[in-house]
Amino acid sequence: MQLYLDSANINEIKQVAELGIISGVTTNPSLLAKEDPSIDVKKRINEIYSIVGGHLSVEVNSLDTKGMLKEADEILSWFPDATIKIPMIPAGLAAVKQLFDKDIPTNVTLIFSPTQAIAAEHAGATYVSVFMGRLDDIGMDSNLVIQEVCAIWEKNLFESEIIAASIRTPIHIIQAAKAGADIATVPYKVLMQSLQHPLIDKGVEIFVNDFAKMQAEISKIAPKVQKKK
Ligand code: G3P
């Protein structure tokens, strides 16, 4: 399972890209607005693209097929290998079908059930984004849903890639990987949290102290050795 960063923040993207652990970035209107409601979207998307160089999903805002396709053209004029992110509504499926016919990659977002994921696959989606956290928010079992989607994909040899999205805790990452999702798109905070462990901090502290002890001993011996010479 690959890791993507779910963010529109340049510092976060730069920092995580430097770690070499992410294979792409997903954005959405809420993440862009969180940065700055008056953000220049084209400029920010181009900045993100220059850092990640591909595998970047950019979402349309229209709710009708024609409007979505127009926005897709606009996004593709910013960078030609954009993945167009489209909401899981009937007008969105129709847009996905038309983009599929033109070989343009799409990421169908706001998927909450296996049947919605199946429909997106048949419309020609490149990626299907199953929202885990928002399912948990309404008392549903997101782990079960991601497991069902992955099992269906395996049995039917479906071709789209499954993205586990709306990731809120490191546990979601583990559940998505165990289920067999292709990608988990993770917010910065959760990704950094998933790297931490108190035993790492303790272990590093022990190594640092022991290294300092060795250095102190060496510096005691070094002057004696020099004197002998
Ligand atoms: O990838 C989708 C994500 O941005 C939504 O996350 O936490 O708003 O449900 P959340």
Side-chain angles (χ1 to χ4, degrees):
M1 184 182 80
Q2 292 184 332
L3 295 171
Y4 280 18
L5 191 67
D6 195 28
S7 174
N9 180 284
I10 295 298
N11 288 336
E12 291 179 359
I13 296 168
K14 268 193 187 151
Q15 205 182 313
V16 175
E18 271 172 18
L19 302 183
I21 59 176
I22 55 158
S23 309
V25 168
T26 51
T27 60
N28 65 35
S30 308
L31 291 170
L32 287 158
K34 196 171 99 186
E35 290 297 300
D36 173 4
S38 65
I39 194 165
D40 179 339
V41 174
K42 178 182 172 184
K43 188 166 167 257
R44 176 56 59 98
I45 294 296
N46 280 331
E47 272 177 283
I48 299 173
Y49 184 70
S50 72
I51 302 165
V52 293
H55 292 113
L56 172 56
S57 288
V58 186
E59 191 159 340
V60 297
N61 298 290
S62 304
L63 295 178
D64 64 290
T65 307
K66 208 172 149 207
M68 290 180 192
L69 293 173
K70 196 165 166 250
E71 280 188 70
D73 279 345
E74 163 88 17
I75 296 164
L76 291 162
S77 77
W78 302 344
F79 65 107
D81 52 345
T83 297
I84 310 299
K85 205 169 172 192
I86 296 194
M88 173 60 220
I89 56 176
L93 293 177
V96 168
K97 155 122 187 59
Q98 292 200 40
L99 292 169
F100 173 79
D101 290 342
K102 291 190 203 158
D103 256 348
I104 295 165
T106 52
N107 173 355
V108 176
T109 187
L110 292 169
I111 289 180
F112 296 98
S113 75
T115 50
Q116 292 161 356
I118 292 169
E121 158 76 17
H122 289 309
T126 316
Y127 303 97
V128 294
S129 284
V130 179
F131 274 43
M132 296 188 72
R134 291 194 199 181
L135 279 167
D136 295 341
D137 287 345
I138 58 160
M140 291 188 69
D141 185 351
S142 67
N143 189 26
L144 184 65
V145 175
I146 197 78
Q147 281 175 6
E148 283 176 337
V149 173
C150 291
I152 291 166
W153 255 236
E154 204 181 330
K155 266 227 149 82
N156 290 271
L157 306 177
F158 284 163
E159 287 182 3
S160 52
E161 294 198 39
I162 300 165
I163 300 184
S166 184
I167 298 284
R168 304 275 179 76
T169 79
I171 305 276
H172 279 151
I173 304 175
I174 297 166
Q175 288 172 335
K178 280 175 81 176
D182 299 284
I183 297 156
T185 188
V186 186
Y188 174 83
K189 197 172 144 221
V190 180
L191 194 58
M192 297 315 280
Q193 199 185 355
S194 76
L195 305 181
Q196 290 165 8
H197 196 286
L199 288 179
I200 302 178
D201 302 340
K202 182 92 191 126
V204 168
E205 192 189 325
I206 293 168
F207 289 149
V208 166
N209 289 340
D210 288 340
F211 181 70
K213 268 187 221 159
M214 283 193 301
Q215 293 296 99
E217 287 307 310
I218 290 166
S219 64
K220 275 189 222 159
I221 296 165
K224 287 180 197 162
V225 174
Q226 267 181 356
K227 267 186 194 168
K228 272 188 189 168
K229 277 183 186 171

